[in-house]
């Protein structure tokens, strides 16, 4: 329990630092971000209107500590102001409309890639020198070494543009009414196939190598040799002795993947025109929508920290030594 409390304090401090950095970053930019925002959009606003927008967005002519306290209050109350790109829609509403798509895509891709990659790594480690151990890791490493944007463009060009097996983009057909109906859910799954496969291909190699290397190290331990000497079956040795200890490095990799999968979908969602956080960040940067950019970056940081905190809890559950 003490270990979890210490980690919780650490992550609370990390979130506080991330919030502070998110506040300082746009204010370190040269010039006036609000004026530059309207100038880039070609807007000619009177000074009174620009001053009103500054106050609404937190860029007020006040001491920095007052601006910081105002920003902290807006983060705690989830009142992040309106989006410039989609004015007057609040930033929280924009995020609530896009976050479920990213969580759905990143969550399913992470779970499937973990299951497939760990199974391949587990099989390869127990059959060292075989076909899977020699060739499959090389194949997955070649796939993972390709940039996500290149992989996404290739898959999009072949299966969506050339063969027309899958739609060209978006999360569902525009003529469908959203709802928890089998027809709509099936259409959502159909639109998610190509971005899901692209994200999985970039992640599977991590689990193959992580699980294989961890299992190779564990299979050389004395207690594995003792289990074999007792005449235990290979399945029991793999599941009850080896896999439980080899899974610890995988937990660390999972925590990082869950967090960075959200950030790693920027190119994938842009190529497939998928309505998630990744595509939203690109649009916010192009429109100089500072409130929306700050919210997206802060959300990514929180996802990474929450995923790592969950990994710490799993570590305590899997490794009894941490409970002492």
């Amino acid at each position: 329990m003490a270990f979890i409390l210490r980690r919780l304090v650490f992550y609370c401090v990390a979130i506080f630092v991330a919030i502070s950095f998110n506040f300082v970053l746009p204010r370190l930019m040269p010039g006036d971000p609000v004026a530059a925002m309207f100038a880039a959009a070609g807007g000619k606003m009177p000074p009174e209107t620009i001053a009103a927008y500054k106050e609404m967005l937190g860029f007020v002519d006040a001491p920095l500590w007052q601006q910081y306290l105002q920003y902290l209050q807006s983060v705690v109350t989830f009142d992040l102001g309106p989006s410039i790109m989609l004015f007057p829609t609040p930033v929280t509403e924009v995020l609530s409309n896009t976050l479920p798509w990213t969580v759905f895509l990143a969550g399913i891709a992470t779970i499937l890639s973990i299951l497939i990659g760990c199974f391949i790594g587990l099989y390869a480690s127990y059959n060292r020198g075989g076909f899977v151990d020699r060739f499959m890791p090389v194949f997955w490493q070649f796939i993972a070494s390709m940039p996500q944007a290149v992989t996404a463009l290739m898959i999009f060009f072949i299966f969506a543009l050339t063969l027309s097996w899958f739609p060209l983009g978006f999360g569902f057909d525009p003529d469908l009414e959203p709802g928890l109906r089998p027809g709509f859910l099936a259409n959502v799954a159909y639109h998610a196939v190509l971005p899901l496969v692209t994200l999985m291909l970039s992640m599977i190699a991590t689990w193959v190598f992580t699980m294989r290397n961890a299992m190779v190290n564990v299979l050389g331990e004395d207690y594995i040799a003792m289990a074999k000497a007792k005449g235990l079956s290979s399945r029991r040795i793999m599941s009850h002795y080896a896999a439980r200890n080899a899974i610890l490095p995988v937990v660390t990799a999972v925590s990082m993947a869950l967090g960075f999968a959200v950030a790693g979908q920027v190119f994938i969602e842009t190529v497939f025109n998928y309505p998630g956080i990744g595509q939203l960040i690109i649009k916010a940067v192009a429109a100089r929508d500072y409130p929306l950019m700050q919210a997206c970056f802060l959300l990514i940081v929180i996802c990474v920290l929450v995923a790592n905190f969950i990994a710490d809890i799993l570590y305590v559950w899997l490794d009894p030594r941490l409970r002492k």
Side-chain angles (χ1 to χ4, degrees):
M1 189 62 182
F3 173 79
I4 296 297
L5 290 176
R6 288 197 303 269
R7 301 306 294 173
L8 182 60
V9 171
F10 168 78
Y11 288 120
C12 288
V13 173
I15 291 178
F16 176 77
V17 172
I19 292 174
S20 303
F21 182 77
N22 211 28
F23 166 80
V24 172
L25 187 60
R27 288 163 175 82
L28 292 178
M29 299 178 64
D32 190 336
V34 177
M37 200 160 38
F38 287 113
K44 297 180 179 179
M45 295 270 184
E48 297 80 8
T49 305
I50 294 180
Y53 272 99
K54 284 183 180 181
E55 184 177 359
M56 180 176 59
L57 299 174
F59 293 95
V60 295
D61 295 328
L64 196 62
W65 65 270
Q66 291 185 6
Q67 298 182 38
Y68 182 64
L69 292 178
Q70 181 180 349
Y71 178 73
L72 285 180
Q73 181 182 0
S74 66
V75 172
V76 173
T77 58
F78 297 100
D79 183 14
L80 302 177
S83 168
I84 300 300
M85 179 177 61
L86 301 171
F87 187 84
T89 306
V91 169
T92 52
E93 183 178 340
V94 177
L95 291 179
S96 64
N97 292 332
T98 55
L99 182 60
W101 296 98
T102 296
V103 171
F104 164 73
L105 194 63
I108 298 298
T110 303
I111 292 173
L112 292 179
S113 62
I114 290 172
L115 295 177
I116 296 173
C118 288
F119 176 79
I120 295 174
L122 191 68
Y123 184 84
S125 64
Y126 205 74
N127 296 275
R128 278 177 286 177
F131 174 81
V132 175
D133 188 41
R134 290 182 178 180
F135 299 104
M136 290 300 289
V138 177
F139 169 76
W140 287 115
Q141 185 62 42
F142 170 75
I143 297 296
S145 63
M146 297 179 62
Q148 285 186 343
V150 176
T151 306
L153 287 172
M154 290 177 58
I155 292 178
F156 176 80
F157 177 78
I158 295 173
F159 296 101
L161 200 60
T162 303
L163 299 177
S164 300
W165 289 356
F166 296 93
L168 296 177
F170 204 61
F172 57 91
D173 290 337
D175 56 345
L176 291 179
E177 182 69 23
L180 298 177
R181 301 185 310 275
F184 177 76
L185 296 178
N187 189 262
V188 169
Y190 177 58
H191 280 72
V193 169
L194 293 186
L196 182 66
V197 170
T198 304
L199 189 58
M200 286 177 55
L201 289 177
S202 65
M203 298 171 66
I204 287 180
T206 301
W207 313 120
V208 172
F209 285 102
T210 302
M211 193 65 183
R212 181 195 178 278
N213 294 338
M215 283 295 296
V216 168
N217 293 331
V218 170
L219 290 174
E221 297 291 339
D222 294 337
Y223 63 87
I224 299 296
M226 178 64 70
K228 292 180 179 178
K230 289 182 178 180
L232 299 179
S233 64
S234 299
R235 178 179 298 180
R236 183 174 178 82
I237 293 174
M238 294 292 288
S239 60
H240 288 72
Y241 292 85
R244 184 179 179 89
N245 291 279
I247 203 69
L248 292 176
V250 177
V251 171
T252 303
V254 169
S255 65
M256 299 302 293
L258 286 173
F260 288 111
V262 177
Q265 291 180 203
V266 172
F267 295 110
I268 294 176
E269 292 182 357
T270 302
V271 170
F272 293 103
N273 193 27
Y274 199 76
I277 296 293
Q279 184 181 187
L280 186 64
I281 291 175
I282 296 296
K283 292 181 178 179
V285 171
R288 290 201 173 191
D289 191 339
Y290 289 100
L292 190 55
M293 280 191 290
Q294 285 182 299
C296 290
F297 296 150
L298 183 60
L299 183 63
I300 292 174
V301 172
I302 291 176
C303 287
V304 174
L305 295 177
V306 169
N308 279 272
F309 181 64
I310 294 174
D312 288 338
I313 297 176
L314 291 177
Y315 254 108
V316 174
W317 177 62
L318 291 171
D319 193 347
R321 293 172 296 182
L322 295 177
R323 304 171 194 169
K324 298 179 181 180

